[in-house]
Amino acid sequence: MTRVDEIIDIPFDDAFRFDPSPTWERLRDTRPVARVRTLAGAVVWLVTRYDDVQFVLTDQRFSRAATVAPDAPRVAVSRPLPGTLPTTDPPEHTRLRRLVSTAFAHRAVERVRPWIGDLARRLAADVEAAGTGADLRQLFALPLPVQVICQLLGVPYADRDRFRAWTELAYSMSVEEEPRVEAAMASLTDYVAGLVAARSASAGEPRDLLDELVRGTDEGSLSGPELVGFALNLLVAGHETSANQIGSFVASLLRDPAHWDHLVENPGLVPSAVEELLRFNRLSEVGQLRVATVDVEVAGTTIRAGEGVMAAIGSANRDPRAFTDPDALDLARTPNRHLALGAGPHFCLGAQLARIELQESLLALLDRFPQLRLAVPAEALPWRRVLVSGLAELPVEWS
Ligand code: HEM
C-alpha cells in the first residue's frame, strides 16, 4: 500500500509491460496528486485522474517554457531544447505554432493520405516477401513514419540510420548514459543545422516544410537557432511516436486475435479503432511535465509556484471516472474523448498526420495479412525502457 508521505520512483517498478502499471490505478483511487521522484532525481507531482490530467494540460498557469529553466526539474536524461513548440508558452508558442499550422492542418495533411496509403501497401508487400514471419517493427512500423516525415520535412531518407540512432539515445531513460545522450543531441543538432544551412542558399518555390521554415527566417519570424530546434523537434516527434504506436496497435489487436479478425471483416471500423487504440496504448510510462508559475490547487492539493507536475496521460485514458469499462478494447467506442494526443495549447501538432499514418497502416496490414498472428505470446513481447513507450520487436507470422 502506498503511504501518503511516500515519494515513489517513476517510472514505476511495474511499468514497461503490456498492461498499464497497477500503481496508476492505486494512485487514482488513493492519491490522485502524488509525489514522485524522476530518474534525474527531481521530486515533482504526478496527476493520474482524467479531469486533473486535462486540467494540467490546458491551464495556462502550468508552463512548458519553465521546464527548460536552468533550475527546472528534469524528467529524464536529455534536456528539452528551449525555444521550440514544446518548450514555449503563449504568446511565443502561438507565434511559432502559426508558422506550421497551415502545413499540418487537416486539409493539407489529407492531401498526402493517398501517398501514405501507397507507402503502407508497398511496405506490407515487402513484409510479405520476407516469407511467413518477420519483425514488423523493423520492416513496417519504423520505416513508414520515418519515410513520411523525411518526405514532408525534406530530410534525406538515406540518412535514417544516423538520425535514428541519435533519436534512440535522446529518449534514453538511463542516467548512466548521460554523456552519450548529450553527444547524440549535439550530433542531431549539428546534422539538422547542416540541412538548414544547405537550404538557406536555395531559392524558388518551397519544396517542403524545411524550405517553408527557412523562408520564415528570411522574413524574420524565426531566428536561425529557433529554426534548427523547430526542425529537429519535428523530425524526432514526427516519427518516434507513430512508429511505437503502430507496433503497440498491432500487438493490442493480435493479443486477442478476435479483434484483428473483426477489423478484417469490418475495415470501415478502422477510424474508430484507431481512436480506441490511441486511448488503450500509452505513449509514455511517465507523464507530460509542466511547472506551476503561481500556486495552483489541483484536487485539493496546492502545487506551489516553481514546482513540477506531470500529467499521466496513459493513466487518464484508463480512468473509470471518464470511460466505461476502461480496460476493455472496444473498437467502436463512442464517445471517446481520450487524451492520447494531448489537450490545450500543446495539443499534438501532428495529430491528423498521425491518424492518417495509423489508419493507413492498419488498412494495408489487414488487407495483406488477414491471418496475421503474434509469433510469441503477447506477455513475452519486449518493451523498450525509454521515454516513448513501445515494443523493441514485434515478431509476427502469417500463413
Ligand atoms: C501516434 C502518434 C502521436 C502521438 C500519440 C502524439 C502525442 C502527442 C502529445 C500527447 C503531445 C502533447 C504533449 C504535451 O502536451 O506535453 C504531442 C505534441 C506534439 N506532437 Fe505529437 N504525437 C504523435 C505523432 C506526432 C507526429 C506524426 C508529429 C509530426 C510532426 C507530432 C508532432 C508533435 C509536436 C510538434 C508536438 C508539440 C506541439 C506543441 O507543443 O505545440 N506528433 N504529441
Side-chain angles (χ1 to χ4, degrees):
M1 201 53 202
T2 308
R3 290 195 331 273
V4 171
D5 56 349
E6 190 187 348
I7 297 175
I8 319 164
D9 288 325
I10 193 166
F12 305 132
D13 292 341
D14 51 14
F16 300 110
R17 37 183 223 138
F18 215 109
D19 291 314
S21 156
T23 307
W24 272 346
E25 183 181 354
R26 206 164 55 234
L27 290 179
R28 283 195 305 263
D29 288 345
T30 59
R31 216 151 44 113
V33 186
R35 290 301 258 170
V36 292
R37 185 181 295 101
T38 71
L39 277 171
V43 175
V44 298
W45 296 101
L46 177 79
V47 297
T48 43
R49 286 187 186 164
Y50 182 96
D51 285 350
D52 301 335
V53 167
Q54 188 176 42
F55 175 65
V56 168
L57 292 178
T58 46
D59 193 291
Q60 304 282 303
R61 291 170 295 175
F62 295 109
S63 163
R64 280 293 305 165
T67 65
V68 286
D71 55 347
R74 275 170 68 196
V75 171
V77 192
S78 68
R79 292 162 206 270
L81 287 175
T84 61
L85 283 179
T87 52
T88 46
D89 296 329
E92 175 65 359
H93 173 265
T94 319
R95 178 182 74 83
L96 291 176
R97 187 131 174 162
R98 209 172 282 137
L99 293 172
V100 281
S101 55
T102 315
F104 283 94
H106 194 285
R107 203 183 318 154
V109 185
E110 277 300 330
R111 279 202 290 270
V112 292
R113 185 190 281 272
W115 178 80
I116 295 177
D118 283 347
L119 174 62
R121 285 184 288 276
R122 259 198 332 271
L123 287 171
D126 292 349
V127 174
E128 194 179 30
T132 56
D135 176 4
L136 207 62
R137 175 174 166 85
Q138 283 309 322
L139 293 189
F140 189 95
L142 207 48
L144 183 122
V146 172
Q147 284 192 54
V148 170
I149 201 66
C150 280
Q151 172 77 18
L152 292 185
L153 207 51
V155 168
Y157 185 59
D159 293 346
R160 63 190 177 280
D161 289 345
R162 291 162 72 206
F163 68 73
R164 274 294 311 147
W166 296 323
T167 304
E168 280 285 326
L169 269 170
Y171 282 116
S172 168
M173 286 196 117
S174 159
V175 181
E176 298 79 59
E177 283 197 309
E178 183 154 7
R180 289 182 67 213
V181 170
E182 280 178 4
M185 283 304 287
S187 304
L188 202 48
T189 309
D190 284 352
Y191 171 71
V192 175
L195 293 177
V196 167
R199 289 310 176 85
S200 307
S202 67
E205 276 300 296
R207 288 159 299 170
D208 46 45
L209 207 49
L210 211 49
D211 269 351
E212 279 179 38
L213 290 174
V214 168
R215 214 56 51 99
T217 48
D218 294 347
E219 288 158 14
S221 44
L222 208 55
S223 74
E226 272 178 342
L227 168 58
V228 172
F230 211 118
L232 191 155
N233 175 228
L234 290 178
L235 176 62
V236 172
H239 77 272
E240 186 68 28
T241 44
S242 302
N244 284 295
Q245 289 292 58
I246 292 170
S248 302
F249 279 26
V250 172
S252 302
L253 291 169
L254 295 179
R255 190 187 190 191
D256 174 359
H259 290 307
W260 186 263
D261 300 346
H262 186 59
L263 277 188
V264 168
E265 293 298 316
N266 304 279
L269 260 187
V270 162
S272 112
V274 162
E275 297 311 308
E276 175 67 344
L277 288 158
L278 277 166
R279 183 191 72 81
F280 197 75
N281 289 286
R282 59 206 177 274
L283 195 63
S284 164
E285 298 287 1
V286 290
Q288 305 305 124
L289 183 69
R290 303 286 190 271
V291 170
T293 52
V294 292
D295 291 1
V296 188
E297 194 178 308
V298 182
T301 299
T302 302
I303 297 184
R304 303 263 171 227
E307 288 182 336
V309 53
M310 284 202 278
I313 290 178
S315 170
N317 281 340
R318 297 289 190 110
D319 186 353
R321 294 159 192 81
F323 300 97
T324 313
D325 206 359
D327 295 325
L329 181 65
D330 172 2
L331 300 177
R333 187 183 289 272
T334 27
N336 193 347
R337 286 191 298 272
H338 65 74
L339 296 174
L341 296 160
H346 294 279
F347 179 74
C348 178
L349 174 76
Q352 190 52 22
L353 178 61
R355 286 183 161 119
I356 293 174
E357 289 177 338
L358 296 163
Q359 291 169 5
E360 295 300 323
S361 291
L362 284 186
L363 285 168
L365 292 171
L366 290 162
D367 184 52
R368 175 75 57 171
F369 302 106
Q371 312 287 333
L372 198 68
R373 293 295 180 258
L374 290 175
V376 298
E379 273 54 43
L381 290 169
W383 291 88
R384 304 160 70 232
R385 300 185 73 84
V386 290
L387 261 185
V388 178
S389 302
L391 290 164
E393 288 166 29
L394 179 50
V396 290
E397 55 192 21
W398 57 90
S399 46

